[in-house]
Amino acid sequence: MSEKSGKAFDFKLFKRLITYTDPYRLTFYSVAFFAILLSVFAVLRPHLLQQVIDRSIIPQNGELLLTLISLILGVLFLEVITQFLFIYFANWLGQEVIRDIRVKLFQHMLGFKKQYYDQSAVGRLVTRAVSDIETIASIFSQGLFMIISDLLKMLVILGYMFYKSWELTLLVLMVLPVIIYATRVFQKKMKVAFEEVRTQVSNLNSFVQERITGMKIVQLFTREKTEYANFKEINEKHKKGWIKTVWYNSIFFPIAEMSSSITIGLIVWFGGLKAAQGDVITLGVVVAFIELSQMLFRPLRQIADKFNSLQMGMVAANRVFAVLDTDSKIEDEGKIELEEVKGNISFENVRFSYLEGEEVLKGVSVNVNSGETVAIVGATGAGKSTIINLLSRFYEIDSGVISIDDVDIRTIRLESLRSHIAVVLQDVFLFADTILNNITLNNPEITEEQVHEAAKEIGIHDFIISLPDGYHYNVKERGAMLSSGQRQLISFLRAYVTNPEILVLDEATSSIDSHSEQLIQDATNKITKGRTSIVIAHRLATIKNADKIIVMDQGEIVEQGNHNELLEIANGYYRNLYEVQFAIAVEE
């Protein structure tokens, strides 16, 4: 997609957008039909007005005057009904289209690699999925069909004007090029200005979203004044973007109004002289031309205004399609459905890098047998969490093979693969929903009774029912109503209730109190029986009881064995780690 090209209109982008109206062709053609009707009604009123003046008012024919006024009222009534149907169905079509695009966009985003979200600002993605898509609706409700309707009106009006008086029509057309040229320049300038506006809106959304989410850090480090100053600067850029659009509007519309007034003056001057000389141009024709010229220029001025809406919608569509065209999906080409999983896990010479040329895993090979509890330890950045991310295929490996029960995970359907793995992360994410829904994630196969039973088994049922509304207690955004330990317990229960064959605990006890840790440790002992478990932790109890401990350093496995075996290695990495990090815990 092109950026600030300055092109007045991108037909390729427009053609792609129009394809989304295919399921609603009947409505699309109906709106087009109403637009044609409106163009016909546009010339009927001036024509009838001319007849009123020339055939009833000047000859003083009261009976004909009443008939013509009734006709005008009838035309007005039909025009109002048609205008209503036109506006309603144009807006309805716009809302149907953006609903379809929003659903498609969200579905596309659900399949993105985790790496995409690592590198993308949340605020910008929210802008694309919400406000940008809403802006696209204006293409149909205020842009495309309105412009088509106005263009049809102008063509019909011009044809009628030539039919009535070519001389007066040429007078009107003398001024028309000025407005057309001004409109063309206006359109180009507004396209660039609106692209700048949308960019600044995205920046503003991203900044506000991040600061509100991280308000605790802002206040803790007394950064209120700094962030306030930063916000003022971003808001100023946002204002300047809009001021530029106001500037172009304030230049264009006075030019259009002045041109319209000049045209009326020319019609009155020339037409009045001709009417006074008894020419074919009558007083009624002069009055009709004054109204017709206004009806000709008004759509032209409105087209420029509606083109603003169309431009904003096109800019928004450009940004939304840029996300839709992003190829950042984990290829789900696997055909195998895992049925009975034993839990044998194998990494064979696995290499991986988040950034090209900077390997995080450097040929890792490890085997985890069914039912084993394997702990992974090492310094920050050693590659521990990366192993878990790769096992669940959040990222694609550069080379090597990862297999479960001797089946390459790339040949397994993603949904099937992940349904057999339960993960408890260090950074617990809870939705603004009830505890029950956060545990089941709205999985209809998990009943509330099963959740209650699982909670009792791991000893947190009493804690949950002590909360207002118990399992139906709303934890608010990111679980703000719960402590970090409570959130961790809910996260553990969420993993436990799925009855997984493979359990992964990523620093699951690193930020909770001793009581909560004991609850999790007790639950871990229950859930790991007969199941493969991978544990990344610094707490002594978790690591000491593991069947196997894998020690990592700078993306490589440097030691393997159980707790006692590793302690026997003189000057070993694990032994040094134990003495430094775990000796205090042993003393306690």
Side-chain angles (χ1 to χ4, degrees):
M1 296 294 174
S2 59
E3 286 301 320
K4 300 178 185 179
S5 61
K7 286 164 51 178
F9 197 77
D10 189 335
F11 283 99
K12 186 177 179 181
L13 178 65
F14 179 73
K15 184 179 178 181
R16 180 178 179 182
L17 187 62
I18 284 297
T19 60
Y20 285 91
T21 65
D22 288 346
Y24 315 105
R25 279 298 176 190
L26 179 61
T27 303
F28 185 90
Y29 291 132
S30 297
V31 174
F33 174 70
F34 293 140
I36 294 171
L37 280 182
L38 287 173
S39 65
V40 173
F41 290 138
V43 296
L44 272 179
R45 285 188 289 110
H47 175 73
L48 290 173
L49 181 61
Q50 178 217 332
Q51 299 300 313
V52 166
I53 295 173
D54 290 341
R55 294 178 58 192
S56 61
I57 293 179
I58 292 178
Q60 298 182 350
N61 188 337
E63 186 177 343
L64 182 59
L65 176 64
L66 187 61
T67 301
L68 290 172
I69 289 176
S70 298
L71 281 174
I72 290 174
L73 289 174
V75 168
L76 283 173
F77 176 76
L78 290 174
E79 189 174 7
V80 168
I81 296 298
T82 306
Q83 187 77 26
F84 164 76
L85 294 173
F86 174 76
I87 293 173
Y88 176 81
F89 285 108
N91 279 274
W92 182 89
L93 181 62
Q95 291 302 317
E96 290 292 324
V97 167
I98 66 169
R99 180 200 62 188
D100 293 346
I101 295 176
R102 183 179 283 122
V103 168
K104 184 176 181 180
L105 178 66
F106 188 71
Q107 184 182 34
H108 187 64
M109 290 169 63
L110 284 173
F112 279 160
K113 298 176 184 176
K114 191 170 181 292
Q115 194 166 5
Y116 177 85
Y117 294 105
D118 294 340
Q119 300 170 353
S120 302
V122 174
R124 285 189 175 88
L125 292 176
V126 171
T127 301
R128 300 294 176 268
V130 181
S131 61
D132 276 346
I133 287 186
E134 198 63 43
T135 304
I136 293 175
S138 64
I139 292 177
F140 300 95
S141 60
Q142 302 171 34
L144 172 65
F145 292 117
M146 292 293 186
I147 291 173
I148 291 174
S149 177
D150 287 343
L151 287 173
L152 282 173
K153 284 181 183 178
M154 292 171 64
L155 288 173
V156 174
I157 288 169
L158 276 173
Y160 180 78
M161 290 170 72
F162 270 111
Y163 169 74
K164 281 296 180 181
S165 172
W166 64 270
E167 295 171 299
L168 287 177
T169 304
L170 289 178
L171 275 177
V172 173
L173 293 179
M174 285 173 55
V175 183
L176 198 61
V178 176
I179 298 180
I180 292 175
Y181 176 75
T183 302
R184 180 68 177 170
V185 173
F186 177 70
Q187 290 168 354
K188 287 186 175 182
K189 296 293 185 182
M190 288 301 283
K191 182 174 189 293
V192 175
F194 279 134
E195 284 180 332
E196 176 65 21
V197 166
R198 298 310 302 173
T199 298
Q200 296 306 328
V201 167
S202 293
N203 291 339
L204 191 63
N205 285 347
S206 182
F207 181 89
V208 172
Q209 191 270 339
E210 286 183 350
R211 269 54 185 186
I212 290 177
T213 303
M215 188 59 69
K216 183 177 181 180
I217 299 299
V218 172
Q219 294 178 348
L220 187 63
F221 289 90
T222 63
R223 303 294 294 172
E224 292 93 340
K225 290 183 179 179
T226 302
E227 296 303 336
Y228 174 69
N230 291 336
F231 178 79
K232 285 183 66 177
E233 183 179 348
I234 294 175
N235 201 35
E236 181 67 20
K237 290 179 181 178
H238 178 255
K239 184 203 75 173
K240 286 180 178 178
W242 275 109
I243 289 296
K244 193 177 290 186
T245 67
V246 174
W247 168 252
Y248 293 140
N249 276 297
S250 62
I251 292 175
F252 171 76
F253 287 104
I255 291 175
E257 287 295 333
M258 182 176 64
S259 301
S260 177
S261 299
I262 291 172
T263 303
I264 292 174
L266 290 173
I267 292 172
V268 171
W269 168 69
F270 184 81
L273 286 177
K274 289 290 186 180
Q277 294 171 3
D279 198 86
V280 292
I281 298 177
T282 63
L283 182 60
V285 171
V286 173
V287 173
F289 259 77
I290 291 174
E291 185 173 355
L292 286 166
S293 67
Q294 293 302 293
M295 292 175 67
L296 183 67
F297 289 158
R298 190 183 306 121
L300 196 58
R301 294 196 300 271
Q302 290 175 348
I303 282 175
D305 190 34
K306 289 160 187 171
F307 206 89
N308 294 349
S309 298
L310 184 61
Q311 293 284 38
M312 288 193 73
M314 294 293 283
V315 170
N318 187 34
R319 296 177 183 277
V320 169
F321 287 148
V323 178
L324 280 172
D325 292 338
T326 299
D327 184 15
S328 184
K329 296 184 69 175
I330 294 287
E331 295 299 328
D332 190 10
E333 298 177 352
K335 304 296 183 182
I336 297 177
E337 292 280 350
L338 291 178
E339 299 295 340
E340 296 182 5
V341 177
K342 296 178 181 178
N344 294 302
I345 301 172
S346 173
F347 280 67
E348 298 177 20
N349 197 29
V350 173
R351 293 183 177 272
F352 172 76
S353 54
Y354 292 103
L355 299 175
E356 189 174 351
E358 298 181 16
E359 280 194 331
V360 178
L361 296 185
K362 305 170 183 177
V364 170
S365 295
V366 64
N367 291 304
V368 181
N369 297 322
S370 175
E372 278 190 339
T373 296
V374 176
I376 305 177
V377 300
T380 301
K384 305 185 300 295
S385 295
T386 300
I387 287 180
I388 291 173
N389 287 329
L390 296 180
L391 179 62
S392 299
R393 285 198 72 197
F394 289 128
Y395 300 89
E396 291 284 26
I397 59 177
D398 298 336
S399 63
V401 177
I402 303 174
S403 59
I404 294 178
D405 293 344
D406 298 322
V407 179
D408 189 335
I409 62 172
R410 286 172 292 192
T411 65
I412 304 171
R413 284 187 60 248
L414 270 179
E415 184 178 353
S416 177
L417 170 68
R418 293 173 180 172
S419 67
H420 295 279
I421 302 173
V423 181
V424 178
L425 298 172
Q426 178 183 7
D427 183 19
V428 179
F429 188 95
L430 297 181
F431 295 95
D433 205 336
T434 65
I435 287 178
L436 179 64
N437 288 340
N438 268 290
I439 294 169
T440 66
L441 296 178
N442 297 303
N443 184 346
E445 295 181 3
I446 302 175
T447 65
E448 185 170 350
E449 289 72 23
Q450 288 176 309
V451 174
H452 289 187
E453 191 61 33
K456 290 175 183 177
E457 288 179 16
I458 66 173
I460 67 170
H461 176 73
D462 293 340
F463 140 65
I464 295 176
I465 61 173
S466 68
L467 298 171
D469 299 323
Y471 286 87
H472 298 279
Y473 178 63
N474 193 310
V475 299
K476 305 300 180 183
E477 187 174 2
R478 297 186 69 90
M481 302 304 291
L482 302 176
S483 69
S484 59
Q486 290 171 332
R487 290 196 297 271
Q488 194 66 264
L489 288 169
I490 296 300
S491 177
F492 193 88
L493 180 55
R494 178 162 62 194
Y496 180 45
V497 78
T498 61
N499 196 25
E501 288 87 354
I502 299 173
L503 176 68
V504 176
L505 303 179
D506 185 2
E507 305 283 5
T509 61
S510 63
S511 60
I512 59 177
D513 56 47
S514 298
H515 176 66
S516 297
E517 181 187 0
Q518 186 59 50
L519 287 175
I520 288 181
Q521 188 59 52
D522 292 342
T524 302
N525 294 334
K526 292 180 181 179
I527 195 173
T528 54
K529 288 182 180 179
R531 292 180 177 86
T532 304
S533 302
I534 300 177
V535 180
I536 297 176
H538 291 302
R539 297 296 180 101
L540 177 61
T542 306
I543 297 172
K544 187 175 181 180
N545 298 327
D547 297 312
K548 183 192 297 182
I549 299 174
I550 298 171
V551 185
M552 297 191 66
D553 183 34
Q554 297 182 4
E556 296 179 309
I557 295 176
V558 293
E559 294 173 1
Q560 291 189 57
N562 61 37
H563 177 71
N564 293 326
E565 290 171 347
L566 293 176
L567 284 181
E568 292 175 1
I569 300 175
N571 201 31
Y573 190 103
Y574 179 79
R575 181 172 177 173
N576 292 333
L577 189 67
Y578 174 81
E579 291 174 351
V580 173
Q581 297 186 20
F582 304 144
I584 297 176
V586 172
E587 292 174 2
E588 293 176 350

